[in-house]
Amino acid sequence: MIQFLLGDEAIQVDGLAPETSLLDYLRIHRARTGTKEGCASGDCGACTVVLAEPEGEALRYRAVNACITLLGAIHGRQVLTVEHLGEPGALHPVQQAMVDCHGSQCGFCTPGIVMSLFAWRHSPPPHNRETALTALSGNLCRCTGYRPILDAAAQIAGQPCHDQFAHNTTLTVTRLREIPTAGALRDGEAQAWLPASLEELDTLLQRHPQARLIAGGTDLALEATQNLKAFPALIHLDRIDQLQRLEVHADHLLIGAARTYADCLEALREFPGVAALLERLGSLQIRQRGSLGGNIANASPIGDMPPLLLALDARLRLRKAGSVREVPIDGFFTGYRQTLLQAGEYIEALLIPHLRENQRFRVDKVSKRRDDDISAVCLALRLDLDEAGTVTDARLACGGMAATPVRGAYTETALRGRPFDAIAVAAAQAAIPQDFQPIDDLRASAAYRLKVAQNLLQRALLEWSECPAEVRHA
């Protein structure tokens, strides 16, 4: 049984299909029609709601896309929709600011924008234009334009956050912690489970080897919303603490496979360019649900994380029925949407080596728009240099250039054994077509992709030449 709070109301749900989205539940089963359906793929933000969960004695508020958040993901959390914000006879300060600043016209996008701003105002400071833009990056305004919406953000940024939700924090935390950690959702033969430990997960996979694993679901849920696919069995991973770990060891960083992009951001700042890449990965709503392990396990050729993990020589810790093995991510992808994961095996953690003092690293993403877009090309480059500045080893990996994220063996060879200068870059650029034979599609032509990859090598030379002493920091 799935248990959560819908505002202040305690809810228990059973008997719904595992692929039921939070959006469908709100609109169809609860008549909460303030939450709109736009794209049904997590792109437009019209369906944005807020999930709250205990963090110490406080609540952490996260804006998420209800259209691709499946019902099992809200167990043990509080769900807030636009209907919860206002009080009798008064608008919530966020709503009032939108009115005062003329931030709404048709009203279709407005509920999602209001919920994003609500979560932003309840998040830790700073509350400024930059963080407001990040909070709104997943909300497409179709008619008003962003200036009045940002004016509304500026208005509430300077106001005390003393609404009904802040006043009820202690009570809400207590009620949420009374909900059992694990849960299940059943509809005849269709079932979804929420294990609380790796041991429970191992047992479930042994009993139900056909079950699909879901962490954030930002990719998997599209099979239901776009392809109308049913999932007879789902196992939700985001309640397992071992899969949320983040540990800094002497020689590597360990990240649990179900940890979200948003919760990895600070730890990954040690790798130049990665924070900027993550801030462009989808939208804030996506980053607060999507996980690193899911980005790898779905084996998309245009995933943003695999190229940089390949360039950093990351390893994956895989688990099956209690047995664990470690494999390099290089070789993990065996074909389009295929990996070397065995039946019943899953990614437990990622192990990313720290950069050494003699190493330089960068990653670049090129897409049609800055926010909330898929890569046309993502290129990651790591160079090992000796004291004379000669490249002793190189790792270059690309996404969007083949059926899988892949390293460029010929390009790496062209860089080794010489200084990283114009001659080396020209040789590497000439080797790019030997390593990659991309295709034409709606995002980019093959010729464009090849030229972009070559130009990104030139960018690395130009930018590193401007600050040759830089090794570890962007």
Side-chain angles (χ1 to χ4, degrees), residues 251-310:
D251 59 349
H252 69 275
L253 179 67
L254 184 148
I255 301 176
R259 195 173 182 92
T260 66
Y261 304 120
D263 288 340
C264 296
L265 179 60
E266 290 305 314
L268 290 171
R269 287 189 186 278
E270 71 167 278
F271 304 104
V274 175
L277 176 74
L278 281 181
E279 288 169 351
R280 293 184 55 200
L281 194 155
S283 62
L284 184 60
Q285 291 97 316
I286 295 294
R287 296 193 295 274
Q288 294 190 138
R289 288 293 302 156
S291 67
L292 267 68
N295 194 234
I296 298 165
N298 69 16
S300 169
I302 49 175
D304 287 331
M305 293 302 293
L308 70 93
L309 295 172
L310 283 165

Coordinates of all heavy atoms in Angstrom, one line a residue, residues 251-310:
D251 N 41.2 7.8 -3.0 CA 41.5 7.8 -4.4 C 40.3 7.8 -5.3 O 40.4 7.9 -6.5 CB 42.3 6.5 -4.7 CG 41.6 5.2 -4.4 OD1 40.5 5.3 -3.7 OD2 42.1 4.2 -4.8
H252 N 39.1 7.8 -4.7 CA 37.9 7.9 -5.6 C 36.7 8.4 -4.8 O 36.7 8.5 -3.6 CB 37.6 6.5 -6.1 CG 37.1 5.5 -5.1 ND1 37.9 4.8 -4.3 CD2 35.8 5.2 -4.7 CE1 37.2 4.0 -3.5 NE2 35.9 4.3 -3.7
L253 N 35.7 8.8 -5.6 CA 34.4 9.2 -5.1 C 33.4 8.1 -5.4 O 33.4 7.6 -6.5 CB 34.0 10.5 -5.9 CG 32.6 11.1 -5.6 CD1 32.6 11.7 -4.1 CD2 32.3 12.2 -6.6
L254 N 32.7 7.7 -4.4 CA 31.7 6.6 -4.5 C 30.3 7.3 -4.5 O 29.9 8.0 -3.5 CB 31.8 5.6 -3.4 CG 30.9 4.4 -3.5 CD1 31.6 3.1 -3.0 CD2 29.5 4.6 -2.8
I255 N 29.5 7.0 -5.5 CA 28.1 7.5 -5.6 C 27.1 6.4 -5.8 O 27.3 5.6 -6.7 CB 28.0 8.5 -6.7 CG1 29.0 9.7 -6.6 CG2 26.5 9.1 -6.8 CD1 29.0 10.7 -7.7
G256 N 26.1 6.3 -4.9 CA 25.1 5.3 -5.0 C 24.3 5.5 -6.3 O 24.1 6.6 -6.7
A257 N 23.9 4.4 -6.9 CA 23.3 4.4 -8.3 C 22.0 5.2 -8.3 O 21.7 5.7 -9.4 CB 23.2 3.0 -8.8
A258 N 21.3 5.2 -7.2 CA 20.0 5.9 -7.2 C 20.0 7.3 -6.7 O 19.0 7.9 -6.6 CB 19.0 5.1 -6.4
R259 N 21.2 7.8 -6.4 CA 21.3 9.2 -6.0 C 21.0 10.1 -7.2 O 21.5 9.9 -8.3 CB 22.7 9.5 -5.4 CG 22.8 10.7 -4.6 CD 24.2 10.9 -4.0 NE 24.2 12.1 -3.2 CZ 23.9 12.2 -1.9 NH1 23.5 11.1 -1.2 NH2 24.1 13.3 -1.2
T260 N 20.3 11.2 -6.9 CA 19.8 12.1 -8.0 C 21.0 13.0 -8.4 O 21.9 13.2 -7.7 CB 18.7 12.9 -7.5 OG1 19.1 13.8 -6.5 CG2 17.5 12.1 -7.0
Y261 N 20.8 13.5 -9.7 CA 21.8 14.4 -10.2 C 21.9 15.6 -9.2 O 23.0 16.1 -9.0 CB 21.3 15.0 -11.5 CG 21.1 14.0 -12.6 CD1 19.8 13.9 -13.2 CD2 22.1 13.1 -13.0 CE1 19.6 12.9 -14.2 CE2 21.8 12.2 -14.0 CZ 20.6 12.1 -14.6 OH 20.3 11.2 -15.6
A262 N 20.8 16.1 -8.7 CA 20.8 17.3 -7.9 C 21.6 17.1 -6.6 O 22.3 17.9 -6.1 CB 19.4 17.7 -7.5
D263 N 21.6 15.8 -6.1 CA 22.3 15.5 -4.8 C 23.7 15.1 -5.1 O 24.5 14.9 -4.1 CB 21.6 14.4 -4.1 CG 20.3 14.8 -3.5 OD1 20.1 16.0 -3.3 OD2 19.4 14.0 -3.2
C264 N 24.2 15.1 -6.3 CA 25.6 14.8 -6.7 C 26.3 16.0 -7.1 O 27.5 16.0 -7.2 CB 25.6 13.8 -7.8 SG 25.0 12.2 -7.5
L265 N 25.6 17.1 -7.3 CA 26.2 18.3 -7.9 C 27.4 18.8 -7.2 O 28.5 19.0 -7.8 CB 25.1 19.4 -8.1 CG 25.6 20.7 -8.7 CD1 26.1 20.5 -10.1 CD2 24.4 21.7 -8.7
E266 N 27.3 19.0 -5.9 CA 28.4 19.6 -5.1 C 29.6 18.7 -5.1 O 30.7 19.2 -5.3 CB 27.9 19.9 -3.7 CG 26.9 21.1 -3.6 CD 27.5 22.3 -4.2 OE1 28.7 22.7 -4.0 OE2 26.7 23.0 -5.0
A267 N 29.4 17.4 -5.0 CA 30.5 16.5 -4.9 C 31.3 16.4 -6.3 O 32.5 16.2 -6.3 CB 30.0 15.1 -4.5
L268 N 30.5 16.6 -7.4 CA 31.2 16.5 -8.7 C 31.8 17.8 -9.2 O 32.4 17.8 -10.2 CB 30.1 16.1 -9.7 CG 29.6 14.6 -9.5 CD1 28.4 14.3 -10.5 CD2 30.7 13.6 -9.8
R269 N 31.8 18.8 -8.3 CA 32.4 20.1 -8.7 C 33.9 20.0 -8.8 O 34.6 20.8 -9.4 CB 32.0 21.2 -7.7 CG 30.6 21.7 -7.9 CD 30.4 22.9 -7.0 NE 29.0 23.3 -7.0 CZ 28.4 24.0 -8.0 NH1 29.1 24.4 -9.1 NH2 27.1 24.3 -8.0
E270 N 34.5 18.9 -8.2 CA 36.0 18.8 -8.3 C 36.4 18.5 -9.7 O 37.6 18.6 -10.0 CB 36.4 17.6 -7.4 CG 36.0 16.2 -7.8 CD 36.8 15.2 -7.0 OE1 38.0 14.9 -7.4 OE2 36.2 14.6 -6.0
F271 N 35.5 18.0 -10.6 CA 35.9 17.8 -12.0 C 35.4 18.9 -12.8 O 34.3 19.2 -13.0 CB 35.2 16.5 -12.4 CG 35.4 15.3 -11.6 CD1 34.5 14.8 -10.7 CD2 36.7 14.6 -11.6 CE1 34.7 13.7 -9.9 CE2 36.9 13.5 -10.8 CZ 36.0 13.1 -9.9
P272 N 36.4 19.6 -13.4 CA 36.1 20.9 -14.2 C 35.0 20.6 -15.3 O 35.1 19.7 -16.0 CB 37.5 21.2 -14.8 CG 38.5 20.6 -13.9 CD 37.9 19.4 -13.4
G273 N 34.1 21.5 -15.2 CA 33.0 21.5 -16.3 C 31.8 20.6 -16.0 O 30.8 20.7 -16.6
V274 N 32.0 19.7 -15.0 CA 30.9 18.7 -14.7 C 29.7 19.4 -14.1 O 28.5 19.1 -14.4 CB 31.4 17.6 -13.8 CG1 30.2 16.6 -13.5 CG2 32.4 16.8 -14.6
A275 N 29.9 20.4 -13.1 CA 28.8 21.1 -12.5 C 28.0 21.9 -13.6 O 26.8 21.9 -13.6 CB 29.3 22.0 -11.4
A276 N 28.7 22.5 -14.5 CA 28.1 23.2 -15.6 C 27.3 22.3 -16.5 O 26.2 22.6 -16.9 CB 29.1 24.0 -16.4
L277 N 27.8 21.1 -16.7 CA 27.1 20.1 -17.5 C 25.8 19.7 -16.8 O 24.7 19.6 -17.4 CB 28.0 18.9 -17.7 CG 27.3 17.7 -18.5 CD1 27.2 18.1 -20.0 CD2 28.1 16.4 -18.3
L278 N 25.9 19.4 -15.5 CA 24.8 18.9 -14.7 C 23.7 20.0 -14.7 O 22.5 19.7 -14.7 CB 25.2 18.5 -13.3 CG 25.8 17.1 -13.2 CD1 26.1 16.8 -11.7 CD2 24.9 16.0 -13.7
E279 N 24.1 21.2 -14.6 CA 23.1 22.3 -14.5 C 22.4 22.5 -15.8 O 21.4 23.2 -15.9 CB 23.8 23.6 -14.1 CG 24.3 23.6 -12.7 CD 25.2 24.8 -12.3 OE1 25.7 25.5 -13.3 OE2 25.5 25.0 -11.1
R280 N 22.9 21.9 -16.9 CA 22.2 21.9 -18.2 C 21.5 20.5 -18.5 O 20.9 20.4 -19.6 CB 23.2 22.2 -19.3 CG 23.8 23.6 -19.3 CD 24.7 23.8 -20.5 NE 24.0 23.6 -21.7 CZ 24.6 23.3 -22.9 NH1 25.9 23.3 -22.9 NH2 23.9 23.1 -24.0
L281 N 21.6 19.6 -17.6 CA 21.0 18.3 -17.8 C 19.5 18.4 -17.5 O 19.1 18.5 -16.4 CB 21.7 17.2 -17.0 CG 21.4 15.8 -17.3 CD1 22.6 14.9 -16.8 CD2 20.1 15.3 -16.7
G282 N 18.7 18.3 -18.5 CA 17.3 18.5 -18.3 C 16.9 19.8 -17.7 O 17.5 20.8 -18.0
S283 N 16.1 19.7 -16.7 CA 15.6 20.9 -15.9 C 15.8 20.5 -14.5 O 16.2 19.4 -14.1 CB 14.2 21.2 -16.2 OG 13.4 20.1 -15.8
L284 N 15.6 21.5 -13.6 CA 15.7 21.2 -12.2 C 14.7 20.1 -11.8 O 15.1 19.2 -10.9 CB 15.4 22.5 -11.3 CG 15.6 22.3 -9.8 CD1 17.0 22.0 -9.5 CD2 15.2 23.6 -9.1
Q285 N 13.5 20.1 -12.3 CA 12.6 19.0 -12.0 C 13.1 17.7 -12.4 O 13.0 16.7 -11.6 CB 11.2 19.2 -12.8 CG 10.4 20.4 -12.3 CD 10.6 21.7 -13.1 OE1 11.8 22.0 -13.5 NE2 9.6 22.4 -13.4
I286 N 13.8 17.6 -13.5 CA 14.4 16.3 -13.9 C 15.6 16.0 -13.0 O 15.7 14.8 -12.6 CB 14.9 16.4 -15.4 CG1 13.7 16.6 -16.3 CG2 15.7 15.2 -15.8 CD1 12.8 15.5 -16.4
R287 N 16.4 16.9 -12.7 CA 17.6 16.6 -11.9 C 17.3 16.2 -10.5 O 18.0 15.6 -9.8 CB 18.6 17.8 -11.9 CG 19.1 18.2 -13.2 CD 20.3 19.1 -13.1 NE 19.9 20.4 -12.6 CZ 19.4 21.4 -13.3 NH1 19.2 21.3 -14.6 NH2 19.2 22.6 -12.8
Q288 N 16.1 16.6 -10.0 CA 15.7 16.2 -8.7 C 15.0 14.9 -8.6 O 14.6 14.4 -7.5 CB 14.8 17.3 -8.1 CG 15.5 18.6 -7.9 CD 14.8 19.7 -7.1 OE1 15.3 20.4 -6.3 NE2 13.5 19.8 -7.4
R289 N 14.8 14.2 -9.8 CA 14.3 12.9 -9.8 C 15.3 11.9 -10.5 O 15.5 10.8 -10.0 CB 13.0 12.8 -10.5 CG 11.8 13.4 -9.8 CD 11.5 12.6 -8.5 NE 11.1 11.2 -8.9 CZ 11.2 10.2 -8.0 NH1 11.7 10.4 -6.8 NH2 10.9 9.0 -8.4
G290 N 15.9 12.3 -11.6 CA 16.8 11.4 -12.4 C 18.0 11.0 -11.6 O 18.5 11.8 -10.8
S291 N 18.5 9.8 -11.8 CA 19.7 9.3 -11.1 C 20.9 9.0 -12.0 O 20.7 8.7 -13.2 CB 19.3 8.1 -10.3 OG 19.0 7.0 -11.2
L292 N 22.1 9.0 -11.4 CA 23.2 8.7 -12.2 C 23.2 7.2 -12.7 O 23.5 6.9 -13.9 CB 24.5 8.9 -11.4 CG 25.2 10.3 -11.6 CD1 24.3 11.4 -11.0 CD2 26.5 10.4 -11.0
G293 N 22.8 6.3 -11.8 CA 22.8 4.9 -12.2 C 21.8 4.7 -13.3 O 22.0 3.9 -14.2
G294 N 20.6 5.4 -13.3 CA 19.6 5.2 -14.3 C 20.1 5.7 -15.7 O 19.9 5.2 -16.7
N295 N 20.9 6.8 -15.6 CA 21.5 7.4 -16.8 C 22.4 6.5 -17.5 O 22.6 6.5 -18.7 CB 22.2 8.7 -16.5 CG 22.5 9.6 -17.7 OD1 23.6 10.0 -17.9 ND2 21.5 9.9 -18.5
I296 N 23.1 5.6 -16.7 CA 24.0 4.6 -17.3 C 23.3 3.3 -17.7 O 23.5 2.8 -18.8 CB 25.1 4.3 -16.2 CG1 25.9 5.6 -15.9 CG2 26.0 3.2 -16.7 CD1 26.7 5.4 -14.7
A297 N 22.4 2.9 -16.8 CA 21.7 1.6 -17.1 C 20.8 1.6 -18.3 O 20.7 0.6 -19.0 CB 21.0 1.1 -15.9
N298 N 20.3 2.8 -18.6 CA 19.4 2.8 -19.8 C 20.2 2.8 -21.1 O 19.6 2.7 -22.2 CB 18.4 4.0 -19.8 CG 19.0 5.3 -19.9 OD1 20.2 5.5 -20.3 ND2 18.3 6.4 -19.5
A299 N 21.5 3.1 -21.0 CA 22.4 2.9 -22.1 C 22.1 3.8 -23.3 O 22.3 3.4 -24.5 CB 22.5 1.4 -22.6
S300 N 21.6 5.0 -23.1 CA 21.2 5.9 -24.2 C 22.5 6.4 -24.8 O 23.5 6.7 -24.1 CB 20.4 7.1 -23.6 OG 20.3 8.1 -24.6
P301 N 22.6 6.4 -26.1 CA 23.8 7.0 -26.8 C 24.0 8.5 -26.6 O 25.0 9.0 -26.9 CB 23.5 6.6 -28.3 CG 22.0 6.6 -28.4 CD 21.5 6.0 -27.1
I302 N 22.9 9.1 -26.1 CA 23.0 10.6 -25.9 C 23.0 11.0 -24.4 O 22.7 12.1 -24.1 CB 22.0 11.3 -26.7 CG1 20.6 10.7 -26.4 CG2 22.3 11.4 -28.2 CD1 19.4 11.5 -27.1
G303 N 23.2 10.0 -23.5 CA 23.2 10.3 -22.1 C 24.4 11.3 -21.8 O 25.5 11.1 -22.4
D304 N 24.2 12.2 -20.9 CA 25.2 13.2 -20.6 C 26.3 12.7 -19.7 O 27.5 13.1 -19.8 CB 24.6 14.5 -20.0 CG 23.8 15.3 -21.0 OD1 24.2 15.2 -22.2 OD2 22.9 16.0 -20.6
M305 N 26.0 11.8 -18.8 CA 27.0 11.3 -17.9 C 28.0 10.3 -18.4 O 29.2 10.3 -18.1 CB 26.4 10.7 -16.6 CG 25.6 11.8 -15.8 SD 26.7 13.1 -15.2 CE 27.7 12.2 -14.1
P306 N 27.6 9.3 -19.2 CA 28.6 8.3 -19.7 C 29.9 8.8 -20.3 O 31.0 8.3 -20.0 CB 27.8 7.4 -20.6 CG 26.4 7.5 -20.1 CD 26.3 9.0 -19.6
P307 N 29.9 9.8 -21.2 CA 31.1 10.3 -21.8 C 32.2 10.7 -20.7 O 33.3 10.4 -20.8 CB 30.7 11.4 -22.7 CG 29.3 11.1 -23.1 CD 28.7 10.5 -21.8
L308 N 31.7 11.5 -19.8 CA 32.7 12.0 -18.8 C 33.1 10.9 -17.9 O 34.3 10.8 -17.4 CB 32.1 13.1 -18.0 CG 31.0 12.9 -17.0 CD1 31.5 12.6 -15.6 CD2 30.0 14.1 -16.9
L309 N 32.3 9.9 -17.6 CA 32.7 8.7 -16.8 C 33.7 7.9 -17.5 O 34.6 7.3 -17.0 CB 31.5 7.9 -16.4 CG 30.5 8.6 -15.4 CD1 29.2 7.8 -15.2 CD2 31.1 8.9 -14.1
L310 N 33.5 7.8 -18.9 CA 34.5 7.0 -19.7 C 35.8 7.7 -19.7 O 36.9 7.1 -19.5 CB 34.0 6.9 -21.1 CG 32.9 5.9 -21.4 CD1 32.2 6.1 -22.7 CD2 33.5 4.4 -21.3

